Amino acid sequence: MKKLIIILGITTLPTLHGFKTLTASDIYICVSNTASKYHYSQNCRGLIRCTHTISKVSLTNAKSRGYSLCGWED
């Protein structure tokens, strides 16, 4: 029983403390020639200025396009 409680605590602890678990389609980018940052949230303050399309892509895809993490989410 103690092992079960420890395992549950380890798997739920990051969620309780606000850590984000990324999946293959959790990253948002502004698709424009001048955009260079990716965002965990579509409502990120850094995406407010995007006047083009906001797309949901994989983290690998965003990094391969040269995007880096937005300073507001750092």
Side-chain angles (χ1 to χ4, degrees):
M1 186 66 173
K2 284 184 180 181
K3 288 181 183 179
L4 178 60
I5 292 171
I6 291 171
I7 291 171
L8 288 174
I10 291 172
T11 58
T12 60
L13 190 59
T15 305
L16 294 174
H17 287 284
F19 294 107
K20 297 178 183 190
T21 304
L22 300 177
T23 63
S25 60
D26 281 334
I27 304 303
Y28 296 92
I29 61 170
C30 178
V31 183
S32 78
N33 293 333
T34 58
S36 62
K37 303 295 180 182
Y38 64 82
H39 312 266
Y40 294 126
S41 169
Q42 191 173 9
N43 299 318
C44 175
R45 188 173 174 180
L47 277 173
I48 292 172
R49 294 180 296 164
C50 180
T51 58
H52 296 80
T53 304
I54 296 174
S55 292
K56 191 174 185 180
V57 299
S58 70
L59 178 59
T60 305
N61 185 326
K63 285 186 175 183
S64 71
R65 292 181 183 193
Y67 287 80
S68 58
L69 179 60
C70 172
W72 294 108
E73 308 217 33
D74 207 347

